[in-house]
């Protein structure tokens, strides 16, 4: 019932106004900590504002409503994880992610199943990128330990320099790509995004890690700056950073275990196994009640179980 109260056209105006504000505030921020992500955020929100105001206009016209819905759904599904990256430039993207999620819900998306070859391509990308993300997290854990325990300036400062580069150039893009490919695979297969508990748990882990990274990044930058002139006592910051890297690695290994063993069964939001997507099915007789009466007058047509694709 909650989604029925969400007016998608009104949300386009709200998000358009937010995007203009967020892009302007981000672009005008003095001495931004990450200029590259500041530029990306300003450009991303400028594009979001154009699409939002254009979507508000297109959704009111019958001829353009359907393609506009498709464009807006795809854009905001991609824009939610993208705004995690914008957090390196400003704090406003937290509100933007909530608004993007509300827009997707209000548009009530329906996702077609991936055919065999695209499914394998997307699954290969998801597995490969996810494994790469685990490798990056493990490497960052080793670097955090080296930085906290090193007794030479070159070793300590070098470890924090590499940690900073790993974070910006490898960990953040890996998180973004893993979330996007995982959502595509989930929505394009019978597993769904919130249908099975193990998939939902992986989604929570994937979204929690960028949130935790918003705290971990400043710790890396602080230790990199402090160690520039000589060996330092890393203290509480060093312990927190090492603990965060260890937690990242544990959570990613947990996601691997979930992918292999698929525990937990189905969630309360799962569609009943006998229910066909988009068309009601008479499970008792095995026929679609809206099928033509003379299609097969002497023999009911069996209906395959849509949930039978679980593996």
């Amino acid at each position: 019932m909650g989604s029925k109260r969400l007016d998608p056209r009104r949300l386009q105006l709200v998000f358009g106004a937010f995007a203009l504000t967020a892009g302007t505030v981000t672009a005008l921020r003095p001495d931004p900590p990450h200029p590259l992500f500041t530029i990306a955020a300003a450009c991303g929100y400028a594009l979001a504002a154009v699409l939002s105001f254009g979507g508000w206009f297109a959704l009111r016209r019958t001829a353009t409503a359907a393609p506009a819905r498709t464009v807006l759904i795809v854009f905001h599904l991609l824009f939610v994880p993208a705004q995690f990256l914008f957090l390196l430039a400003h704090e406003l993207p937290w509100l933007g992610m909530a608004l993007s999620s509300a827009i997707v819900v209000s548009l009530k998306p329906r996702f077609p199943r991936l055919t065999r070859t695209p499914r394998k391509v997307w699954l290969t990308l998801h597995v490969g990128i996810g494994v790469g993300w685990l490798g990056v997290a493990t490497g960052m854990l080793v670097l955090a330990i080296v930085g906290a325990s090193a007794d030479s300036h070159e070793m300590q400062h070098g470890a924090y320099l590499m940690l900073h580069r790993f974070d910006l150039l490898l960990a953040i893009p890996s998180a973004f790509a893993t979330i996007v490919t995982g959502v595509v695979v989930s929505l394009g297969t019978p597993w769904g995004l919130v249908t099975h508990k193990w998939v939902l748990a992986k989604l929570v882990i994937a979204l929690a890690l960028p949130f935790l990274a918003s705290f971990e990044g400043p710790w890396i930058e602080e230790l990199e700056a402090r160690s520039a002139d000589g060996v330092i006592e890393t203290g509480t910051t060093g312990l927190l950073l090492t603990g965060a890297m260890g937690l990242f690695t544990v959570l990613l290994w947990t996601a691997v275990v979930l992918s292999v063993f698929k525990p937990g069964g189905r969630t309360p939001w799962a569609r009943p196994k006998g229910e066909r997507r988009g068309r009601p099915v008479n499970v008792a007789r095995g026929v679609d009640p809206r099928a033509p009466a003379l299609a097969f007058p002497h023999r009911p047509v069996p209906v395959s179980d849509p949930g039978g694709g679980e593996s």
Side-chain angles (χ1 to χ4, degrees):
M1 293 296 293
S3 62
K4 293 183 179 180
R5 293 194 293 267
L6 296 175
D7 182 353
R9 290 192 65 237
R10 184 176 300 172
L11 284 174
Q12 300 311 310
L13 290 179
V14 172
F15 193 84
F18 164 79
L20 284 177
T21 303
T24 302
V25 170
T26 302
L28 297 179
R29 182 177 183 178
D31 300 323
H34 300 286
L36 178 62
F37 289 101
T38 299
I39 295 172
C43 293
Y45 281 122
L47 175 61
V50 172
L51 285 176
S52 296
F53 292 127
W56 172 83
F57 179 78
L59 288 174
R60 67 184 295 183
R61 301 169 59 89
T62 304
T64 57
R69 285 183 70 258
T70 301
V71 170
L72 290 170
I73 289 169
V74 172
F75 174 77
H76 283 284
L77 281 175
L78 295 176
F79 206 53
V80 170
Q83 290 177 93
F84 274 114
L85 309 184
F86 300 166
L87 287 171
L88 293 170
H90 207 279
E91 295 77 21
L92 278 173
W94 288 120
L95 177 57
M97 285 183 279
L99 289 173
S100 288
S101 300
I103 288 173
V104 173
V105 172
S106 72
L107 292 171
K108 301 177 182 178
R110 296 178 181 178
F111 301 95
R113 293 284 188 250
L114 292 171
T115 56
R116 181 180 181 85
T117 299
R119 178 175 61 83
K120 289 183 176 294
V121 170
W122 279 103
L123 183 60
T124 300
L125 289 173
H126 178 62
V127 172
I129 296 170
V131 170
W133 190 11
L134 174 59
V136 170
T138 304
M140 292 178 71
L141 171 60
V142 172
L143 288 171
I145 294 173
V146 170
S149 60
D151 55 4
S152 70
H153 171 241
E154 292 79 7
M155 183 73 73
Q156 186 180 64
H157 188 57
Y160 291 127
L161 279 174
M162 289 300 296
L163 257 176
H164 195 187
R165 301 303 181 272
F166 269 49
D167 189 36
L168 294 179
L169 302 178
L170 293 174
I172 293 174
S174 295
F176 175 79
T178 301
I179 293 171
V180 170
T181 55
V183 168
V184 171
V185 170
S186 298
L187 295 177
T189 64
W191 291 116
L193 196 59
V194 295
T195 302
H196 293 81
K197 293 179 180 179
W198 70 272
V199 179
L200 184 58
K202 282 186 62 180
L203 177 64
V204 171
I205 289 174
L207 295 178
L209 288 176
F211 171 76
L212 295 173
S214 65
F215 299 96
E216 158 259 321
W219 296 337
I220 296 176
E221 295 174 4
E222 175 191 338
L223 292 171
E224 179 187 359
R226 286 174 51 200
S227 63
D229 298 324
V231 179
I232 61 169
E233 291 291 333
T234 58
T236 303
T237 304
L239 290 176
L240 288 172
L241 179 60
T242 303
M245 293 296 98
L247 179 60
F248 280 21
T249 306
V250 169
L251 287 175
L252 287 172
W253 270 111
T254 301
V256 171
V257 173
L258 290 171
S259 297
V260 173
F261 291 95
K262 301 177 175 59
R266 297 163 71 86
T267 69
W269 304 287
R271 189 185 300 272
K273 284 193 173 185
E275 183 179 341
R276 189 185 279 272
R277 297 176 74 187
R279 288 173 66 93
V281 175
N282 187 331
V283 180
R285 294 185 59 193
V287 296
D288 185 338
R290 293 188 296 175
L294 298 179
F296 292 96
H298 303 296
R299 183 179 61 185
V301 180
V303 177
S304 60
D305 179 4
E310 300 178 13
S311 59

